[in-house]
Amino acid sequence: MSRDTLFLIAPGFSDPKHPSQTFVCPHCNAIEGLLSSFPELAARIEVRRVHFPRPRTQVIEAVGEENQSLPVLVLASNPPPDAADWKGKRFVSKTSRILELLAERHGFPRLHD
């Protein structure tokens, strides 16, 4: 059975533009917090943490070179109407929408207003 796949930038990366510093992606980190708080729900999806530098080969293979910005949720089935399309693969890349879909599709708690 195919599962939704979530691509995130692996935390604790370096950036050659800022030597001697370590970073997390602010958008990915919001999702990382949810995943770590609910590991039993996180196990329902495939989570792939990729390195910061481009090209991000795994992401390119999944949703195309033009869609390497992360996070991105690739939908295995029943995509919502607002999902983007790349060669028949449907995906969402807006962090707030990914969080909504994790709640709708996988039972994660919703963000409180």
Side-chain angles (χ1 to χ4, degrees):
M1 179 172 98
S2 187
R3 299 186 296 169
D4 288 352
T5 303
L6 177 62
F7 288 94
L8 301 168
I9 295 174
F13 63 88
S14 59
D15 182 341
K17 295 178 186 176
H18 305 281
S20 305
Q21 295 183 35
T22 304
F23 298 93
V24 296
C25 167
H27 305 286
C28 296
N29 210 47
I31 297 170
E32 288 281 11
L34 189 65
L35 296 175
S36 67
S37 295
F38 300 94
E40 70 284 354
L41 297 175
R44 296 180 185 176
I45 60 176
E46 182 174 348
V47 179
R48 295 188 189 174
R49 291 172 181 87
V50 299
H51 296 293
F52 172 72
R54 293 180 186 215
R56 297 177 180 140
T57 306
Q58 289 183 48
V59 181
I60 292 169
E61 291 170 357
V63 294
E65 186 171 7
E66 64 276 17
N67 300 305
Q68 290 183 67
S69 295
L70 297 180
V72 66
L73 178 65
V74 181
L75 306 159
S77 62
N78 303 319
D82 62 335
D85 182 274
W86 183 78
K87 296 185 178 183
K89 293 183 182 178
R90 304 295 300 272
F91 65 96
V92 175
S93 57
K94 186 176 178 186
T95 304
S96 60
R97 185 64 175 129
I98 290 171
L99 291 166
E100 289 173 2
L101 289 171
L102 290 175
E104 291 171 15
R105 295 169 70 93
H106 302 288
F108 283 90
R110 296 183 179 281
L111 295 182
H112 189 275
D113 294 340

